[in-house]
Amino acid sequence: MPETGRMNADKEKQTVGRLKSRPQFLAVRAGEKRRGSLFLLEVLDRKAPETEPRVGFTVTKKHGNAVERNRMRRRLKEAVRLNAAFAMQPGHDYVIVARRDVLDAPFARLAAQLADRIKARPKNARSPATDSRKV
């Protein structure tokens, strides 16, 4: 039976692991923070480029009841699955801390901002052109 276009598209997408334990989440807090209007993205380079990227989601109790928090988490997971997983670098951990606005934001805006924040370069990173210069 021939493969459908959907199956081929799934094979091309990068798989993303999950952060599951509290120590993993706490380790990422020491990394870089990228602020957005809908969420805070924390990024940690594990210095293991041969491993897959991992992602975790945090929604605090101050952002609503369980139904609303789960909806925020589901929207973020889907945005990562559809639009942002390709931008995640191997060997990096990402924690997405939701803000209340995630509930009401248009999904396209949420997905675009997430992909943009994941692709953003660290503020203290040097450009490749300046790496070869002697200081």
Side-chain angles (χ1 to χ4, degrees):
M1 187 166 136
E3 292 186 22
T4 64
R6 174 87 177 127
M7 288 180 174
N8 289 336
D10 287 342
K11 289 180 183 178
E12 294 171 9
K13 287 189 178 185
Q14 176 178 345
T15 59
V16 177
R18 291 292 308 273
L19 296 175
K20 294 180 181 173
S21 68
R22 180 168 168 77
Q24 291 174 332
F25 278 83
L26 292 176
V28 178
R29 291 192 72 184
E32 178 193 355
K33 292 171 179 40
R34 302 175 188 171
R35 288 168 179 78
S37 62
L38 302 175
F39 53 84
L40 167 69
L41 179 66
E42 298 172 332
V43 183
L44 178 70
D45 183 358
R46 288 179 286 146
K47 309 285 189 228
E50 68 283 348
T51 60
E52 68 181 3
R54 299 184 303 187
V55 65
F57 302 90
T58 301
V59 183
T60 63
K61 286 188 175 181
K62 71 179 180 181
H63 292 311
N65 62 23
V67 172
E68 292 170 329
R69 292 193 312 267
N70 286 334
R71 183 164 180 250
M72 286 185 240
R73 194 174 293 110
R74 283 193 311 269
R75 292 189 87 206
L76 288 169
K77 284 180 183 180
E78 189 67 3
V80 167
R81 186 182 74 84
L82 292 176
N83 301 303
F86 72 92
M88 292 184 172
Q89 298 177 7
H92 285 66
D93 286 345
Y94 299 86
V95 172
I96 302 168
V97 183
R99 295 204 168 112
R100 178 85 183 169
D101 294 337
V102 166
L103 269 179
D104 302 320
F107 187 77
R109 179 175 166 229
L110 171 65
Q113 190 175 105
L114 187 58
D116 186 49
R117 289 288 181 260
I118 288 173
K119 286 189 268 186
R121 292 186 54 225
K123 290 179 181 169
N124 58 358
R126 296 171 59 177
S127 69
T130 59
D131 282 341
S132 62
R133 273 194 236 155
K134 293 183 181 177
V135 182

